[in-house]
Amino acid sequence: MRRKASSFVSLLAVALLATGCPKGGADFKKGQQAELQKDYDTALIHYERALKADPRNIEFEIRAKRIRFQAAQMHVDRGQKLRDQGLLEPAAAEFEKALAIDPSSFVAEQELRRTLEQVVAQRQAQAEASAQQRQGPSLLPPSGIPEGPPVLRPITRAPFDLKMNEDAKKIFESIGKLAGINVIFDPEFQSRRIPVELQNATLEQALDIVALMTKSFWKPVTTNTIMVVPDNAAKRRAYEEQIIKTFYLSNTIQAAELNEVVQTLRTLLDIKRITPSTANNAIIIRDTPDKVAVAEKIIRDIDHAKPEVLIQVAVLQARRDRARELGIVPSTSVPLIFTPRAIIRPSDQPTGAAASVTLDDLSRLSSRDYSLILPSATAMALLTDATTKVIQNPEVRATDMQTAKLRIGDKVPFAVGSFQPGIGGVGINPLVNTQFQFQDVGVNLDITPRVHSNREISLRVKVEVSSVTGRVNIGGIEQPIFGQRVIEHDIRLREGEVSILGGIIERSETTTVEGWPGLGQIPFLRFLFSSNRKESQENEVLIVLTPRIIRLPEITALNVQPLAIGTDETIALPRAAQLPPEVGEEAPAEAPAAEPQPTPAPPTAPPARPEPRAPAEPEIQGPARIGFQPAQAQLGVGERLTVNVVVENARDVFAIPFRLNFNPQVVELLEVHHGGFLGGEHPAALVHRVEQETGTAIISVSRPPGTGGVQGSGVVVTLVFRGLAAGRTPLIIQNIAARTSQQQPLPLETSMGEILVQ
């Protein structure tokens, strides 16, 4: 019986312990310890375990979401440091980790794209420099000239030499004959004799030079005819072609921002026909193709998403009130009462009447006719000690140059009275018309951030910490007394730099003495004839601000590239120098002449001309999918199994980050290897993190920077599992963030796999 009783008690104790400990509590405490050590990856693992054990726990969910951002930000910071050191490949791997942890991290995506662009720029710098030396600088705008006017197509574009000293019309006609085009003139064109000497000039170069010397301009009328017109404002309006184009902006929010863009274009380009469409968030422009092309570049340069900042705020308010009262408070008055005896009362005085004494009876008064009330005393011994701590730790996400307001606390009413005459009761009495307003009491925070391109942040901060410190009676109404501490200033911080607003300390001491004069000031005896009350109050406020950049201003090299737009009077884009190709259009016509010659090559031999062309790749049909091969597999306990993650029907694949889920009680993921699909000539970057305790693995495979995407089907990664216990485990792919070579999202259909351990 004793053994049964002890076993029952043990089971009951275990049940009570299990009931008292919430699900996931141990992992949550481990996550808190890892967070204190700033090991955010480990903290995220434990928080996710705790959340998996108790999905309904709101605290677990909040901590997991918050630490996910911090873990991703940690890898972003590491990647930025590596990039600053010139280690672009490891930096890209860190950004890939951050993106795999938090796919919604805009800054990780931006930094990854920027790093890849830097790698590509480094590899292509030498090639672009040599090409620029051979061909000269590109004169076409980045966005290209819009279609509209006729395009001149001469018979030949071969460069020529020209040396003439003739009338301008004859020079224009001579250039037209050399290129095989027709030249016509405006009736008001005034020709004069000019000297021209050109060497190795193209058609467009020769026409532009002669037009500059004669103060005229030329425009294509058809594909083989041009017109020469005097260069003045009236002729420009009469002959220049115009187009109309609508630009849809993506990042303007308010109508004032759209109007600001319109005003910028109108001021810089002198565009008269331009109007905003606030309903569609668009701008409509009608002008020459060159002006519209320049306006398009300006719109693309300034239409960027505004940067965003996450500001972590910590407010600590500590208040301590102490009061001590000690002593004896005696009575301050001694009443003397007249109580005459009956012997001195008149005999004819009626019974019950008030006592009265005549002047003759005063001689018979004595001490027995008076009564004296002895004074009383109150002993005071009181000690009060109160401590209050208020801790606030909010996070505020704000857009660049937009004020974010945070109010944490209560709204306290206070009276606002106005007196006006009225009739009330008997006669005329003043009536009070009382109105009430509400005051925000607590932590009030107003922050306006400004993100700079060097990753510094300017903050216009207004912090107000207020509370109700007491009550006062005004006009018969209890009014609250508000205590406030307001800080308003402008600061500039680096990302992650901590700004501490401290030193807001308030101390007050009050001493009150009550007692008999003289006796209350005698040492030692003063505690018998007086009371001493001493009060002290201490209040300290500490505010900590830590800004974090979530979205950066995305300014590329194309945005800061200068563009030649002509003169102050005429905005015109320079035309590209169109040289005849070395293997031009005439080359294919000459090649067949050599083909009829007999050659010993077999009929199946490929011809010489099409050799540079790569054979056409098979057409890809169907949606892109990712899955497992084999989809179902078996193994024994302790045995190893290789499973491939394969992609089918993929197009322009550059990177495939994903999360793999499996049952950690059934199998163990030992190794992750390259599959070869994203490798090719250059090895792909493989980043993986296996969390065996939770049965998850974060895997990211990306092609080297500067290379294009791949298409087709193949093995992405190879997974090596080991059986732990008998059972089944599904293989699930989640959180796929596949991207193309243009860093665009690539949708992939997923399929599950299964492993049976016997």
Side-chain angles (χ1 to χ4, degrees):
M1 292 295 293
R2 292 181 179 178
R3 292 182 178 178
K4 292 183 179 179
S6 60
S7 301
F8 177 76
V9 171
S10 301
L11 292 175
L12 182 59
V14 171
L16 291 176
L17 290 175
T19 306
C21 298
K23 295 181 180 180
D27 286 320
F28 185 75
K29 292 181 179 179
K30 292 180 181 179
Q32 288 179 322
Q33 295 175 358
E35 184 179 359
L36 291 176
Q37 299 174 0
K38 296 185 178 181
D39 187 1
Y40 299 126
D41 289 342
T42 305
L44 178 60
I45 295 174
H46 290 296
Y47 285 149
E48 286 185 343
R49 290 180 187 171
L51 183 60
K52 186 177 181 181
D54 190 3
R56 298 182 179 180
N57 195 312
I58 301 300
E59 185 178 4
F60 293 174
E61 184 178 359
I62 293 176
R63 284 296 184 97
K65 290 182 178 180
R66 182 173 181 179
I67 206 65
R68 183 181 301 278
F69 167 77
Q70 294 181 349
Q73 187 66 31
M74 178 186 66
H75 288 287
V76 170
D77 295 339
R78 291 179 182 176
Q80 291 170 350
K81 293 179 181 178
L82 292 173
R83 187 179 59 188
D84 294 339
Q85 297 174 2
L87 304 176
L88 299 181
E89 296 288 347
E94 290 292 336
F95 295 140
E96 286 279 358
K97 291 180 182 179
L99 198 59
I101 293 175
D102 188 4
S104 63
S105 177
F106 295 104
V107 67
E109 182 180 356
Q110 290 177 344
E111 293 294 336
L112 178 60
R113 187 187 309 115
R114 184 175 300 178
T115 304
L116 296 178
E117 289 176 355
Q118 290 182 3
V119 174
V120 172
Q122 286 182 356
R123 295 184 178 180
Q124 294 181 351
Q126 186 176 2
E128 291 179 356
S130 59
Q132 187 176 2
Q133 291 179 358
R134 293 194 306 267
Q135 301 179 1
S138 177
L139 299 178
L140 283 176
S143 59
I145 298 178
E147 297 181 357
V151 179
L152 188 62
R153 300 183 184 278
I155 296 177
T156 178
R157 291 189 177 275
F160 54 85
D161 298 338
L162 180 64
K163 184 177 181 181
M164 298 180 64
N165 190 356
E166 295 288 344
D167 185 77
K169 288 187 176 181
K170 293 184 178 180
I171 296 177
F172 274 114
E173 292 173 351
S174 300
I175 295 175
K177 292 179 180 180
L178 292 174
I181 62 174
N182 303 318
V183 181
I184 59 177
F185 299 91
D186 182 83
E188 298 182 5
F189 177 76
Q190 297 180 359
S191 180
R192 59 186 179 87
R193 189 181 186 90
I194 59 172
V196 176
E197 184 174 356
L198 303 175
Q199 294 182 356
N200 197 26
T202 62
L203 171 62
E204 288 79 5
Q205 292 174 352
L207 292 175
D208 290 340
I209 292 174
V210 178
L212 181 63
M213 297 177 66
T214 58
K215 295 183 179 181
S216 60
F217 70 96
W218 60 275
K219 55 162 294 186
V221 179
T222 62
T223 56
N224 63 343
T225 304
I226 65 171
M227 171 176 278
V228 181
V229 186
D231 193 358
N232 54 61
K235 293 297 182 181
R236 288 277 184 180
R237 289 194 300 268
Y239 284 99
E240 280 188 335
E241 300 283 346
Q242 291 191 352
I243 63 173
I244 187 169
K245 190 170 184 179
T246 304
F247 299 95
Y248 293 92
L249 281 69
S250 304
N251 300 287
T252 53
I253 302 175
Q254 302 176 359
E257 298 175 352
L258 194 65
N259 293 329
E260 182 180 355
V261 177
V262 171
Q263 186 63 29
T264 300
L265 297 176
R266 184 180 287 116
T267 303
L268 292 178
L269 304 180
D270 194 21
I271 300 178
K272 298 179 178 59
R273 296 178 177 88
I274 178 172
T275 180
S277 177
T278 307
N280 298 312
N281 200 27
I283 297 175
I284 305 172
I285 301 176
R286 174 193 169 187
D287 216 303
T288 62
D290 291 347
K291 282 190 177 182
V292 174
V294 177
E296 181 177 1
K297 181 185 185 304
I298 295 176
I299 292 175
R300 291 185 178 181
D301 291 344
I302 62 180
D303 185 26
H304 292 294
K306 290 187 176 181
E308 292 181 322
V309 181
L310 181 69
I311 304 169
Q312 300 172 346
V313 184
V315 180
L316 173 63
Q317 181 179 8
R319 179 168 181 170
R320 186 175 186 181
D321 298 337
R322 304 181 66 182
R324 186 191 67 179
E325 188 172 1
L326 183 63
I328 298 176
V329 182
S331 178
T332 59
S333 62
V334 180
L336 180 64
I337 303 174
F338 178 61
T339 55
R341 293 169 295 165
I343 190 173
I344 63 174
R345 296 169 59 95
S347 59
D348 57 349
Q349 184 175 358
T351 305
S356 61
V357 179
T358 63
L359 294 176
D360 295 337
D361 296 332
L362 292 178
S363 60
R364 290 182 293 175
L365 292 177
S366 65
S367 60
R368 288 178 295 177
D369 299 321
Y370 298 93
S371 62
L372 182 67
I373 299 177
L374 296 177
S376 62
T378 304
M380 305 295 296
L382 180 63
L383 178 63
T384 303
D385 192 348
T387 302
T388 305
K389 291 184 178 180
V390 179
I391 300 177
Q392 302 286 350
N393 192 15
E395 292 184 351
V396 181
R397 180 168 178 170
T399 306
D400 188 58
M401 295 301 294
Q402 300 293 328
T403 302
K405 298 183 179 181
L406 179 65
R407 302 289 184 264
I408 301 176
D410 303 321
K411 283 184 174 292
V412 178
F414 62 95
V416 179
S418 60
F419 297 86
Q420 54 185 341
I423 300 177
V426 179
I428 300 177
N429 297 323
L431 295 179
V432 181
N433 182 14
T434 306
Q435 298 176 351
F436 290 89
Q437 294 183 359
F438 289 86
Q439 175 74 24
D440 291 324
V441 175
V443 179
N444 302 326
L445 185 65
D446 295 348
I447 298 180
T448 305
R450 181 63 185 267
V451 181
H452 304 280
S453 58
N454 58 351
R455 302 190 64 83
E456 291 187 356
I457 307 167
S458 295
L459 298 177
R460 174 166 293 179
V461 183
K462 180 181 180 181
V463 182
E464 178 181 350
V465 181
S466 59
S467 60
V468 178
T469 59
R471 297 277 178 176
V472 62
N473 192 306
I474 301 177
I477 301 177
E478 290 288 335
Q479 295 279 50
I481 300 176
F482 299 106
Q484 63 178 1
R485 294 149 193 89
V486 181
I487 301 174
E488 187 172 0
H489 63 162
D490 295 337
I491 56 177
R492 181 162 178 166
L493 304 172
R494 293 188 298 270
E495 182 188 10
E497 185 178 357
V498 179
S499 174
I500 301 177
L501 309 177
I504 308 177
I505 302 175
E506 179 184 357
R507 296 177 181 175
S508 62
E509 293 186 0
T510 305
T511 302
T512 305
V513 178
E514 295 181 2
W516 288 358
L519 296 178
Q521 299 175 353
I522 300 175
F524 302 107
L525 295 179
R526 62 187 178 92
F527 293 104
L528 299 176
F529 301 98
S530 65
S531 173
N532 189 346
R533 180 179 178 86
K534 187 176 182 179
E535 298 180 0
S536 64
Q537 295 180 352
E538 295 182 2
N539 194 359
E540 182 177 0
V541 180
L542 183 68
I543 303 172
V544 180
L545 301 177
T546 306
R548 299 282 184 180
I549 297 178
I550 298 179
R551 189 196 299 269
L552 285 170
E554 200 168 358
I555 302 175
T556 63
L558 189 62
N559 298 138
V560 298
Q561 178 182 354
L563 179 65
I565 60 172
T567 64
D568 181 64
E569 296 181 355
T570 304
I571 294 180
L573 294 175
R575 298 175 179 83
Q578 300 182 5
L579 299 175
E582 297 179 0
V583 183
E585 298 178 356
E586 296 84 4
E590 299 175 359
E595 290 180 359
Q597 298 179 1
T599 58
T604 58
R609 294 291 298 176
E611 183 176 357
R613 296 185 178 180
E617 297 183 0
E619 183 179 359
I620 298 177
Q621 298 181 355
R625 298 187 297 270
I626 184 171
F628 300 92
Q629 187 182 25
Q632 297 180 350
Q634 299 181 1
L635 75 160
V637 177
E639 297 180 356
R640 295 192 176 190
L641 173 67
T642 300
V643 178
N644 296 326
V645 178
V646 297
V647 170
E648 299 177 359
N649 301 330
R651 302 173 180 86
D652 193 19
V653 183
F654 185 82
I656 306 179
F658 63 94
R659 172 177 291 188
L660 173 68
N661 293 336
F662 58 92
N663 190 349
Q665 306 297 331
V666 178
V667 296
E668 178 185 7
L669 181 57
L670 299 177
E671 301 172 2
V672 180
H673 301 287
H674 282 284
F677 175 68
L678 296 179
E681 301 178 357
H682 305 281
L686 173 62
V687 180
H688 65 278
R689 185 183 67 186
V690 180
E691 303 171 2
Q692 180 61 33
E693 294 81 3
T694 59
T696 59
I698 298 175
I699 304 173
S700 176
V701 186
S702 60
R703 287 184 54 77
T707 60
V710 297
Q711 62 182 7
S713 304
V715 179
V716 180
V717 292
T718 300
L719 310 176
V720 179
F721 293 95
R722 184 180 65 179
L724 297 179
R728 294 178 180 270
T729 174
L731 302 180
I732 304 174
I733 296 177
Q734 295 180 342
N735 298 340
I736 303 177
R739 300 186 305 279
T740 64
S741 59
Q742 304 298 326
Q743 300 302 316
Q744 298 296 327
L746 179 63
L748 293 175
E749 296 183 358
T750 61
S751 59
M752 295 177 53
E754 186 181 43
I755 297 178
L756 174 62
V757 180
Q758 298 178 345

